[in-house]
Amino acid sequence: RRRSSAAPRPGAGAGSAGGTGNGVRALPNGGYVISSKSYSGGIGRVSIEGIAASGIGVLFSSTPAAPLSINPSDIITQLDAGTSITLQANNDITQNVGAAITATGLGNLTMQAGRSVILNDVINIAGVLDITANDAGAIAANRTAGAAVLDASLATLTASAINLTNSGGDILAGAMTANTGAIHLTASNNISVAAAKAITAVVVGMGVTLNADSDALNGGAIRMNDGSSIASNGGNITLGGGTTGNGSGNAIGNATYI
């Protein structure tokens, strides 16, 4: 199936959340996923419609073994209406280049992938951005084997608060700004901030926490590449590791980053 390059793609490959083909699928919150494989000359489109203010977008259980493409405009529309959206995929979630999500409404955006999350463009929202790779709620039978990565190194993230979590591998961080809340990155392995990228918590007292080696098993380092920076505007900046998740332990390092 061909996919529009402008669509973020929850679940690249087998084991994703969603479905292909033509049809309408009811969601548990009363909304619908409407799919058409013949839209725009065969590019195809999937729309999320009729979601209530407390609605959920696409679940792990929504045709769990097939890939799904979602037009970013559908996500933006719901967020602008104050609707909080959750995108779940049993395998990977990929935001394609050109699939920017910019919304001024107060809806929160949550992404939960059974394996990896790859972000390649802007996400700029007024609500909270919460992203999880290697999510424990995914259906294991539909997850491709291998380490997870949460890669936002090429993205620019802006939200009221930002939480990135990967319990199965590394976090590769890029530019990110929390306008009213804190920034919290937690990885079971390494956290690497891309060169010349800034992590910024705008409001005084909110702070930034980078917590590597969150499982305290195989080590995990925090690497600030050339020209990268963290600014907290008076809040705490905590770089650490360990199972508490608050950076109070040591980020021990491993064979990748000593």
Side-chain angles (χ1 to χ4, degrees), residues 97-161:
V97 174
I101 297 172
T102 301
T104 57
L106 295 179
N108 302 324
L109 178 58
T110 300
M111 299 182 184
Q112 299 168 324
R115 192 174 64 169
S116 297
V117 179
I118 312 295
L119 305 177
N120 290 307
D121 213 305
V122 169
I123 298 179
N124 187 340
I125 64 174
V128 174
L129 180 61
D130 199 332
I131 300 176
T132 304
N134 201 51
D135 192 282
I139 300 172
N142 299 117
R143 181 197 189 278
T144 300
V149 63
L150 200 169
D151 188 350
S153 60
L154 299 179
T156 300
L157 309 180
T158 305
S160 61

Side-chain angles (χ1 to χ4, degrees), residues 1 18-26 32-39 43-49 63 67-71 74:
R1 179 185 175 197
T20 58
N22 300 312
V24 179
R25 177 171 295 277
Y32 295 89
V33 173
I34 304 173
S35 59
S36 172
K37 66 181 179 182
S38 58
Y39 175 84
I43 290 176
R45 175 170 176 168
V46 177
S47 298
I48 304 173
E49 304 290 350
T63 52
L68 172 66
S69 295
I70 298 177
N71 194 302
D74 295 310

Side-chain angles (χ1 to χ4, degrees), residues 7-253:
R9 184 179 162 204
S16 62
T20 58
N22 300 312
V24 179
R25 177 171 295 277
L27 297 173
N29 62 322
Y32 295 89
V33 173
I34 304 173
S35 59
S36 172
K37 66 181 179 182
S38 58
Y39 175 84
S40 189
I43 290 176
R45 175 170 176 168
V46 177
S47 298
I48 304 173
E49 304 290 350
I51 299 177
S54 60
I56 294 177
V58 180
L59 302 178
F60 290 126
S61 58
S62 301
T63 52
L68 172 66
S69 295
I70 298 177
N71 194 302
S73 64
D74 295 310
I75 298 172
I76 293 167
T77 296
Q78 300 298 335
L79 295 175
D80 277 340
T83 302
S84 292
I85 298 294
T86 296
L87 302 177
Q88 297 179 336
N90 292 305
N91 205 46
D92 299 335
I93 294 176
T94 300
Q95 178 197 27
N96 291 342
V97 174
I101 297 172
T102 301
T104 57
L106 295 179
N108 302 324
L109 178 58
T110 300
M111 299 182 184
Q112 299 168 324
R115 192 174 64 169
S116 297
V117 179
I118 312 295
L119 305 177
N120 290 307
D121 213 305
V122 169
I123 298 179
N124 187 340
I125 64 174
V128 174
L129 180 61
D130 199 332
I131 300 176
T132 304
N134 201 51
D135 192 282
I139 300 172
N142 299 117
R143 181 197 189 278
T144 300
V149 63
L150 200 169
D151 188 350
S153 60
L154 299 179
T156 300
L157 309 180
T158 305
S160 61
I162 298 174
N163 302 300
L164 305 183
T165 304
N166 183 4
S167 64
D170 297 343
I171 291 177
L172 308 179
M176 62 185 73
T177 301
N179 284 323
T180 59
I183 295 176
H184 203 126
L185 277 57
T186 303
S188 63
N189 290 348
N190 307 300
I191 297 174
S192 177
V193 182
K197 301 299 183 180
I199 295 177
T200 306
V202 173
V203 174
V204 174
M206 290 295 101
V208 177
T209 300
L210 275 58
N211 191 106
D213 192 25
S214 63
D215 57 6
L217 292 177
N218 299 310
I222 295 171
R223 180 181 178 92
M224 302 291 297
N225 288 286
D226 292 346
S228 61
S229 63
I230 299 175
S232 66
N233 292 295
N236 293 330
I237 297 175
T238 305
L239 307 180
T243 58
T244 61
N246 61 9
S248 61
N250 296 320
I252 296 172

